[in-house]
Amino acid sequence: MKDTSDIFGENVFSLSVMKARLPKETFKEVKAAIDNGKRLSQEAAGVVANEMKQWAIEKGATHYTHWFQPMTGITSEKHDSFINPADDGNIILRFSGKELIQGEPDASSFPSGGLRATFEARGYTAWDPTSYAFIKEGVLCIPTAFCSYGGEALDKKIPLLRSMEALNKQAMRVLKLFGNEDVTSIKTTVGPEQEYFLIDEKGYNARRDLIYTGRTLFGAPPPKGQQMEDHYFGVIKPRVQAFMKDLNDELWKLGIMATTEHNEVAPSQHELAPIFTTTNIATDHNQLTMEIMKKVAQKHGLVCLLHEKPFDGVNGSGKHNNWSMSTDTGTNLLEPGATPYENAQFLLFLTAVIKAVDDYQDLLRISVASAGNDHRLGANEAPPAVISIFLGSELTDVLEAIENDQPYGAKEKELLRVGVHVLPKFPKDTTDRNRTSPFAFTGNKFEFRMLGSASSIALPNTVLNTAVAESLKQFADQLEGAEDFTSALHELIRKEIKDHKRIIFNGNGYDDSWIAEAEARGLSNLKTTPDAVKHYLDEKNVALFTSHKVYSEVEMQSRHEVFLEKYTKLIDIEAKTMLEMAKQDILPAVSAYSSELAGSVTAKTSVLGSAPAFEQDTLKEISEDMKAAYEAYLDLEEDMKKSKDIDDLEKLADFIKDDVLSDMASLRASCDKLEAETAADYWPFPTYGDLLFAVR
Ligand code: ADP
Ligand code: MG
């Protein structure tokens, strides 16, 4: 049997594989492309392509694909065979540098948010050498960027790479001011913790809502939900254990370092955490992880649900985006240092993040907005829709001392001066205690906790990188010309803390009183996706992205449209599924049961002379609730018809949010009541109890 060290990365055309297989000069070029974004020459690409093909064929691959991430948020691939006909009627296996560097899938079926109308349907994919090629099920997958004929980004990767470049540029300016001459690049790093549900495929296959939408649209609460809290970190069941082992093996083969796994709060809910890496690789890896989770689950007769809210009344699933910035010399810029100078540098980068989060609260909120995540944010299980930063009391005290020119700590007599004094060590565990904060400092990184479980992490990181790049740019602009660097630095940090401290909140984010206080502080509270997306094209947001060349204005407009399209289409499918299930499954089943009750009331009354209480009471209850359910059904049907006449996407999204969603809630409420009243034999699909407790 192979052990982990043998299989780890065995299907990845990694740096070490390239080092071993490529000529020295070619390897150097590839390394320069990875580290500093240098373009690969045609010749080098040809050599890499040939070696990559050779390596893939040795591993049994027969096809290759340019693996990319269109705006749908899932990954796409179109397989091409290495096989080409040779003159003698035989075949040769060919894969050229040109094919490596550029592919040309038909872009017309991917969402383009209007970019398609103005540009050609053709799209181009180009190899992203900063993320390694890998083999998945006999196919060589080449991570690629996807753009239109005119160069507009049609994917999530190009803006992400551009945002990393923007941050690199500005952070380098700042680091130079601190005399870090040996640093040549700065990359953002991410470790996304992924939550998911595992249910038995039999239950899944019996429910159209799960099949069509990934979540249950009906379902009365079971007697046992998560109230005992016996699942969190509980013993992992054998079937789940077998799944996790298989999953780890598959991920390790692809070089994805999945490390921790445990049960989450809700029954059937679990979490996987990888070891962090650069943001672009982490994004690719998270997409792969989600895909492989689903595939491995299938092999075990299970279904992996990645939806943010598969079950009402049970905790939903999120993703915790652990984020930091790291130099190529191995320094984590959010790690408090040991000397006054290192600490000053740390404080400046920390302040840059605080300012970025405050200035672009709306964009961060938008970056996690989706129909699915709307069920979580603001409910008492996930961070509120209000963005705030948790720093922990030690760090907050330090910032306060700086802001107010006060001495810090019991022993200190002097005022705390940035660049002069050493900061105390911040105990890591105290900074990690607050689980209710949407954006928490956890010792040497920030944990952005609002992400939904199903979404790509590309956009939240694109926003974060760009917003921090903007803070750093402003800081560098001010400090580069300063006569006395240390005192200019002190004053800058002081001023920025004063200006942005409203975003710092160390209390309980789930508390209602916080929402009121946040409003008083002027923080934005964008409750739903349509509310949030309205601000995407605000002048300051367009200015941010265009000035750092992360998106052009046209690219932003297209994303605005894709956002709304996705939201409206998704809920449209949910509503249609509900109508179908209500009319074809629920109401007929309840009708059959009530007929039986009615028959029994009539028969028994004629024999006994009085109506039997159970049958009569239940019949009455059911009849009333059926009436309500049918009325709700008709309301939803009518509003769905109305929605067809709304052409303006923003108006449609609002209509869906205000009217359709509330119709859906009423229909669900009355059907869930009917579920509780109807004999189990009659109920047409598995209940919450069946779904949540089936896996052993
Ligand atoms: P815990 O959440 O239990 O405190 P850790 O803090 O060690 O665990 O890690 C949580 C996640 O954060 C992991 O995925 C880890 O790889 C990631 N992480 C740790 N350090 C960094 C960093 N500097 N940049 C990005 N992610 C990080
Ligand atoms: Mg964590």
Side-chain angles (χ1 to χ4, degrees), residues 339-508:
T339 66
Y341 232 55
E342 283 169 5
N343 276 324
Q345 186 181 302
F346 158 73
L347 282 174
L348 188 64
F349 279 98
L350 182 82
T351 307
V353 179
I354 294 170
K355 172 176 164 56
V357 173
D358 187 30
D359 284 343
Y360 297 99
Q361 299 162 45
D362 50 351
L363 275 181
L364 285 167
R365 169 67 184 93
I366 291 165
S367 79
V368 298
S370 71
N373 218 15
D374 280 359
H375 298 292
R376 287 177 68 240
L377 298 179
N380 269 354
E381 55 167 277
V386 179
I387 311 241
S388 65
I389 296 180
F390 170 85
L391 282 183
S393 55
E394 294 85 0
L395 202 46
T396 306
D397 289 349
V398 167
L399 297 189
E400 250 166 39
I402 295 170
E403 185 203 340
N404 302 321
D405 267 336
Q406 279 165 353
Y408 172 76
K411 278 179 262 145
E412 300 268 351
K413 299 242 161 37
E414 284 176 276
L415 308 181
L416 184 64
R417 295 286 302 176
V418 174
V420 178
H421 291 101
V422 183
L423 298 181
K425 272 251 163 276
F426 303 111
K428 231 181 138 183
D429 51 342
T430 61
T431 52
D432 204 21
R433 222 179 280 142
N434 187 316
R435 311 301 294 175
T436 64
S437 172
F439 204 95
F441 185 67
T442 52
N444 59 2
K445 62 185 185 294
F446 276 99
E447 188 168 336
F448 186 20
R449 298 189 178 129
M450 291 171 87
L451 285 74
S453 50
S455 297
S456 158
I457 63 169
L459 180 58
N461 286 296
T462 303
V463 171
L464 200 48
N465 294 343
T466 315
V468 175
E470 174 60 26
S471 303
L472 293 170
K473 176 188 171 288
Q474 293 183 21
F475 294 178
D477 286 349
Q478 290 172 55
L479 294 173
E480 275 168 357
E483 270 169 35
D484 175 355
F485 176 66
T486 311
S487 59
L489 180 67
H490 182 87
E491 279 318 307
L492 183 145
I493 291 179
R494 235 189 97 177
K495 175 174 179 304
E496 296 296 339
I497 294 167
K498 204 188 237 21
D499 288 351
H500 298 290
K501 66 178 176 190
R502 64 172 186 168
I503 198 79
I504 297 167
F505 175 64
N506 293 324
N508 182 359

Side-chain angles (χ1 to χ4, degrees), residues 9-29:
E10 71 171 12
N11 290 342
V12 184
F13 195 64
S14 62
L15 214 52
S16 56
V17 173
M18 286 193 269
K19 190 165 185 186
R21 298 187 68 126
L22 293 174
K24 261 209 178 78
E25 278 313 301
T26 317
F27 178 71
K28 252 182 152 169
E29 264 201 52

Side-chain angles (χ1 to χ4, degrees), residues 556-573:
M556 285 188 76
Q557 282 157 358
S558 81
R559 273 143 189 91
H560 179 250
E561 195 174 317
V562 171
F563 250 122
L564 293 171
E565 241 176 32
K566 209 172 151 185
Y567 176 85
T568 52
K569 280 184 181 167
L570 233 138
I571 297 181
D572 188 70
I573 294 171

